Amino acid sequence: MTQDNKLDRFPRAQFMSGPTPLERLDRLSSELGIDLWLKRDDLTGLGFGGNKTRQLEFYFGDALQKGADTILITGAVQSNFVRSAAAAAAKLGMQSVLQLEERVSDMGKAYYSSGNVLLAQILGAEHMTYPEGEDEVGADAALHARADELKAQGRKPYVIHLGLNHPPLGALGYFVAGQELCQQMPDVDAIVVPSGSGATHGGLLTGVALEENTASVFGVCVRRDSEKQMARMKTVLQKLADLLDIDAAPLHDRLNVMDEALPPGYGKLSGGTRAALDKMARTEGIFLDPVYTAKTFAGLLHLVSEGKIQPGQKVVMVHTGGLPALFGYQNELASDLS
């Protein structure tokens, strides 16, 4: 069975206009002694772009097949996922309910009013809040409670779940991306990607593996330490393998996560993360976000310094977008500059 055939039974909304480009980073390649490329998934187009567009194609495909008219989703205050979901809903004439969780402490006013929050307001989304940031089951339950209220009003809600006890439909989008990347660059040696919910990392690893590409796939932890993330990724890979009717064991054998760039925690900037963000901007003119891609690039720099990425290797970093969050972090970024 081909990869395309494996996806035939999953309904899919069309948000992607085509493959995202691979861009060589000439100056950084020279500086680091590697052949460094960026997979520009910040350029997916819909609602400021980003990696979530790929995932939402499969969630919205399922929602449309089930006749839904309202999407409910949960995430951090500056979540790219909820902003992208609101954009997708607007494009399809649906309503969106965005639940914002308190995951990052001690943030300034801009964090709650700018960036993704502002964009979601412009998109006309309904907002609700959840007081905890590490309670996926509770956050999903709160969405279902709101969905029940909407049903009583005659609406047809569809919940995009956060918890691990649901099929990772969004990971199918990065299964496609793994196939796409291998077709663009079959001789890639290493791929570096952020690892948070696990859908992007797990889908990409699965797509690469089923293309019989031997590249190392490094997942850079952005939310949990490597031990907790490894356990989460095994669950994601197993559930994705079940969806695709494949064996998960070879995927587990290729699983690689690292947490050196994680401190001081999710959504928090360290000196190394800030340095990585500045280096990319000042060397290549490309912006990274504080939550995902700056940590990913910091992880890549660590892999080079430790020799886990070797001189001359062809390396692709996945740029997952998230750029609106830069404006939500303006107080933290500006204070560093001063």
Side-chain angles (χ1 to χ4, degrees):
M1 181 182 293
T2 67
Q3 290 194 38
D4 287 338
N5 288 340
K6 286 181 180 299
L7 297 176
D8 283 347
R9 67 181 184 276
F10 300 103
R12 184 176 177 184
Q14 190 67 48
F15 299 136
M16 299 283 295
S17 60
T20 56
L22 276 176
E23 179 177 348
R24 189 175 193 273
L25 305 182
D26 295 339
R27 294 187 65 208
L28 281 171
S29 292
S30 178
E31 179 179 331
L32 299 175
I34 60 176
D35 188 8
L36 180 59
W37 296 72
L38 206 60
K39 178 66 169 162
R40 297 297 304 269
D41 272 15
D42 56 319
L43 303 179
T44 52
L46 178 70
F48 253 96
N51 65 319
K52 302 305 184 183
T53 302
R54 292 186 185 272
Q55 298 183 31
L56 289 168
E57 287 196 327
F58 289 91
Y59 282 119
F60 273 83
D62 190 44
L64 290 170
Q65 187 179 70
K66 293 176 178 176
D69 60 17
T70 306
I71 296 292
L72 298 93
I73 187 170
T74 190
V77 172
Q78 281 293 334
S79 168
N80 303 300
F81 206 177
V82 302
R83 175 257 304 164
S84 296
K91 183 176 180 65
L92 296 175
M94 303 169 73
Q95 300 297 311
S96 58
V97 178
L98 314 182
Q99 178 172 262
L100 305 184
E101 307 167 22
E102 289 288 349
R103 292 187 192 173
V104 187
S105 61
D106 303 320
M107 299 300 288
K109 181 180 178 180
Y111 184 77
Y112 295 93
S113 60
S114 186
N116 285 310
V117 177
L118 175 61
L119 294 178
Q121 290 172 344
I122 293 172
L123 288 163
E126 173 189 326
H127 281 84
M128 54 189 285
T129 60
Y130 192 75
E132 298 182 46
E134 298 300 330
D135 179 15
E136 293 184 345
V137 174
D140 282 345
L143 289 183
H144 277 280
R146 179 63 181 134
D148 288 341
E149 295 174 351
L150 294 172
K151 286 179 184 177
Q153 298 170 14
R155 304 263 286 277
K156 297 178 180 179
Y158 179 92
V159 174
I160 298 176
H161 297 98
L162 180 64
L164 284 174
N165 52 338
H166 299 277
L169 284 178
L172 296 172
Y174 266 84
F175 175 78
V176 174
Q179 178 185 34
E180 178 182 303
L181 175 54
C182 290
Q183 291 172 350
Q184 289 175 310
M185 186 175 287
D187 57 343
V188 60
D189 296 304
I191 304 167
V192 185
V193 61
S195 190
S197 70
T200 295
H201 179 191
L204 188 77
L205 174 59
T206 303
V208 169
L210 265 67
E211 282 291 302
E212 300 182 351
N213 188 295
T214 59
S216 299
V217 179
F218 296 99
V220 178
C221 297
V222 297
R223 187 169 178 188
R224 304 165 191 85
D225 64 34
S226 58
E227 182 179 356
K228 291 178 181 177
Q229 189 65 11
M230 181 68 78
R232 184 183 187 89
M233 289 304 307
K234 288 180 179 178
T235 300
V236 171
L237 288 173
Q238 183 61 61
K239 287 184 173 292
L240 180 56
D242 291 343
L243 277 177
L244 294 169
D245 193 24
I246 61 174
D247 182 10
L251 304 175
H252 291 170
D253 291 343
R254 294 184 60 171
L255 189 55
N256 193 330
V257 298
M258 54 175 293
D259 59 9
E260 285 83 357
L262 175 62
Y266 175 80
K268 290 290 189 179
L269 281 165
S270 68
T273 300
R274 179 56 196 268
L277 188 154
D278 290 345
K279 180 183 281 290
M280 182 65 77
R282 297 172 187 182
T283 309
E284 296 289 350
I286 293 172
F287 293 111
L288 303 178
D289 81 292
V291 184
Y292 296 96
T293 52
K295 287 184 185 288
T296 304
F297 186 43
L300 186 153
L301 294 174
H302 178 82
L303 290 166
V304 172
S305 68
E306 293 293 307
K308 294 180 180 178
I309 291 177
Q310 299 178 2
Q313 283 195 315
K314 184 169 286 188
V315 181
V316 173
M317 175 182 143
V318 181
H319 191 326
T320 54
L323 299 182
L326 277 168
F327 302 99
Y329 277 78
Q330 60 185 289
N331 292 339
E332 289 70 27
L333 293 168
S335 64
D336 283 354
L337 285 172
S338 64

